Amino acid sequence: MVKLGETTILLALRRAFANLRAASLAMRERWQAYEKVEARGVALLQDWLSPAQLLQFKRDKCFDVIGSDSRRRYRICYGTATNVYEMNERGRVVVGWCFRPAGSLVAGDVMLAQKIALETNERAALAVAKPFPGSMPPSSGPLPVG
């Protein structure tokens, strides 16, 4: 009877480890697929940046744009929300603006939409944006490459 119990426990443990391994592999595959999509989004964004914006983005993971209506300067930082900052003439943050396109998009795609919105129809972008206290975000990890 004891041997039967040990066999049952061993089989249960083997099944549990097999399930854990399968789940781990599936998570790894999903993460790798996400990294590819993220890298494509960053590549598309970089194709749309001016040389000065591209240099700033590669160095600081953010870039500045000039609003089409007010000529104010905005800094778009790497991310998908609470990542747009209105800057004053001394380079200090005045206020943060939170706006993004609908849907589940990677950071590069969101940032490109924010850039285009501010550079072509600043008033409309700010009409839907939510302000937030203007403090610079912490530095994040390396940009995805693909």
Side-chain angles (χ1 to χ4, degrees):
M1 189 99 163
V2 172
K3 206 155 182 81
L4 180 61
E6 288 173 6
T7 303
T8 304
I9 291 171
L10 282 175
L11 285 173
L13 283 173
R14 283 187 183 134
R15 276 193 215 112
F17 280 119
N19 289 340
L20 184 60
R21 185 176 192 287
S24 176
L25 289 173
M27 284 174 51
R28 184 171 151 219
E29 288 173 5
R30 282 194 302 273
W31 180 252
Q32 288 173 337
Y34 174 80
E35 283 181 324
K36 286 179 184 175
V37 172
E38 182 73 20
R40 281 198 319 258
V42 168
L44 178 63
L45 169 66
Q46 289 178 344
D47 286 346
W48 278 71
L49 296 178
S50 70
Q53 289 171 330
L54 181 59
L55 180 66
Q56 185 184 12
F57 181 66
K58 286 184 175 184
R59 184 186 64 227
D60 303 325
K61 291 186 253 169
C62 63
F63 57 91
D64 293 352
V65 299
I66 302 299
S68 61
D69 301 311
S70 71
R71 309 306 297 161
R72 289 186 188 125
R73 185 164 50 108
Y74 299 91
R75 182 160 293 153
I76 301 174
C77 296
Y78 188 82
T80 59
T82 60
N83 65 316
V84 177
Y85 298 88
E86 184 178 324
M87 310 299 287
N88 68 16
E89 55 282 339
R90 291 176 298 169
R92 302 227 187 256
V93 175
V94 176
V95 65
W97 293 102
C98 184
F99 66 99
R100 56 169 285 140
S104 179
L105 301 172
V106 295
D109 294 341
V110 171
M111 294 168 70
L112 178 56
Q114 291 166 331
K115 169 188 166 53
I116 292 169
L118 288 169
E119 290 179 338
T120 62
N121 197 346
E122 176 189 11
R123 247 182 252 139
L126 295 181
V128 299
K130 303 288 185 214
F132 64 91
S135 60
M136 291 305 286
S139 174
S140 59
L143 293 172
V145 292

